[in-house]
Amino acid sequence: MHIKDIHNICVVGSGSMGHQIAMLCALGGFQTTIQDVEECALQNAEVKLHDIMDKWVKKGKISEDEKSQAFQRLTFTTSLEEAAANADFVIEAVVEKLEVKRDVFARLDRIAPSHAILVSNSSTIVNSLIADVTGRPDKICNMHFFFPPLVMDCVEVVMGEQTSEKTGQLTMDVCERIGRTGVLLRKEISGFVANRILGALSREAIALYEEGIADFKDIDTICKKALNHPLGPFELMDLSGIDVAYYVSVQRFAETGDPVDKPATCVEEKVKAGTLGRKTGKGWYEYKQQEGAKS
């Protein structure tokens, strides 16, 4: 199979990552189906995408015709069977929980055509922990987008031991087709490259906060003013979702058993309280309801 043979893409999950990944695929010329178990999630995703694309048109990033064509290539459904039955390439973008991803991949393996490549957008879970539930381990890899996908250019394409060269190359070709810079990693490691570096920064920032060395706002200010980071680590957690950071830590701790990887107390408290960042209107910082709804 070559890139010219990939016509239909299925994106599983319409959350903060999935709906934007799907739009990238539609803009790239692929017939794209986005699937979610919740109808209201699909409706919210469609509203958000229209809002973003309208802004793109106003800014001159795309034409009205390009926007219309992209939406014509985009389909929304709650049926995984409908979404994946004719897919040539599937991108999983569900919650960062291993058992959920394994269940999704097992179902996809039964539904999707035998030639279809199945990739995970996981930000930390390596594909070898998922591939064994399928009969196509050579066609499984990671395709890690960064938030928000319609803005961030980089995609980490990660091969497992059983991932074929053809799968790795085709995934890189998809990155190019949708206008993203793919970086091919031939060796798996939990968290890949970007999130291991970011995770080290985040863990140190949280430790400094929990030890009372500095307030989280001051830590963010230092990172932005002294290190020239566009966002501080606490602001970034709010943007990505504090629950995402929590589940990443839970998974990492389950894999390593190292206390260093255990979710921080202050993060766990926010997850239990449901204050997850911009998407809930409150996390480390408070946001206007409109901002929370849009993120």
Side-chain angles (χ1 to χ4, degrees):
M1 189 165 68
H2 300 280
I3 187 64
K4 62 181 177 60
D5 300 314
I6 297 178
H7 304 289
N8 301 310
I9 290 184
C10 164
V11 177
V12 183
S14 67
S16 58
M17 298 295 290
H19 72 286
Q20 293 199 19
I21 292 170
M23 179 52 75
L24 280 174
C25 295
L27 288 167
F30 296 107
Q31 292 293 327
T32 307
T33 303
I34 181 168
Q35 184 271 342
D36 200 291
V37 295
E38 298 288 344
E39 180 64 41
C40 62
L42 292 171
Q43 292 173 356
N44 289 337
E46 188 169 8
V47 169
K48 288 179 180 179
L49 287 176
H50 274 285
D51 182 54
I52 295 170
M53 291 300 105
D54 285 344
K55 290 176 181 176
W56 278 26
V57 171
K58 289 180 181 179
K59 292 178 180 178
K61 296 179 69 173
I62 60 173
S63 66
E64 184 67 43
D65 185 55
E66 287 172 325
K67 171 197 161 186
S68 297
Q69 289 184 26
F71 275 104
Q72 287 174 15
R73 289 189 288 266
L74 193 59
T75 302
F76 299 81
T77 181
T78 57
S79 170
L80 189 62
E81 289 74 14
E82 179 184 335
N86 297 310
D88 303 304
F89 196 93
V90 181
I91 304 171
E92 168 271 312
V94 301
V95 66
E96 197 72 357
K97 292 183 178 181
L98 178 59
E99 64 273 17
V100 176
K101 292 183 185 295
R102 285 175 62 85
D103 178 67
V104 168
F105 270 75
R107 294 177 63 198
L108 286 170
D109 189 51
R110 294 192 296 269
I111 298 167
S114 59
H115 69 269
I117 290 172
L118 312 180
V119 306
S120 174
N121 176 55
S122 173
S123 59
T124 188
I125 299 172
V126 295
N127 64 80
S128 61
L129 294 177
I130 301 171
D132 65 293
V133 301
T134 77
R136 60 182 93 188
D138 60 312
K139 295 182 176 68
I140 310 295
C141 73
N142 288 88
M143 189 181 189
H144 177 216
F145 292 80
F146 292 85
F147 183 80
L150 282 166
V151 175
M152 301 297 286
D153 179 37
C154 188
V155 176
E156 292 176 318
V157 176
V158 190
M159 298 172 61
E161 289 187 4
Q162 298 186 75
T163 306
S164 71
E165 287 291 330
K166 182 180 289 186
T167 294
Q169 186 56 56
L170 274 171
T171 305
M172 289 289 286
D173 291 342
V174 170
C175 290
E176 183 177 3
R177 178 83 174 269
I178 64 176
R180 289 296 173 266
T181 300
V183 180
L184 185 62
L185 307 178
R186 296 179 179 276
K187 187 173 183 179
E188 288 185 324
I189 187 169
S190 178
F192 317 134
V193 173
N195 277 350
R196 289 189 74 86
I197 295 171
L198 185 62
L201 174 68
S202 180
R203 282 194 299 274
E204 185 62 25
I206 290 171
L208 291 168
Y209 167 72
E210 289 194 329
E211 290 171 16
I213 303 300
D215 184 72
F216 68 87
K217 292 181 181 179
D218 292 332
I219 294 171
D220 277 351
T221 297
I222 292 168
C223 287
K224 289 187 291 184
K225 299 295 185 179
L227 304 180
N228 203 29
H229 291 186
L231 293 174
F234 296 93
E235 289 176 318
L236 186 57
M237 273 189 274
D238 274 3
L239 178 64
S240 301
I242 295 173
D243 54 331
V244 174
Y246 173 76
Y247 290 131
V248 165
S249 295
V250 168
Q251 177 59 34
R252 184 77 61 81
F253 180 62
E255 291 178 25
T256 68
D258 188 339
V260 172
D261 294 324
K262 193 174 182 180
T265 300
C266 61
V267 172
E268 187 171 8
E269 288 173 350
K270 289 192 178 297
V271 171
K272 289 180 178 179
T275 52
L276 308 179
R278 293 196 181 204
K279 60 187 174 183
T280 61
K282 183 179 180 181
W284 292 102
Y285 298 87
E286 291 193 17
Y287 304 88
K288 294 179 182 179
Q289 191 57 45
Q290 187 178 9
E291 292 177 344
K294 285 185 177 181
S295 57

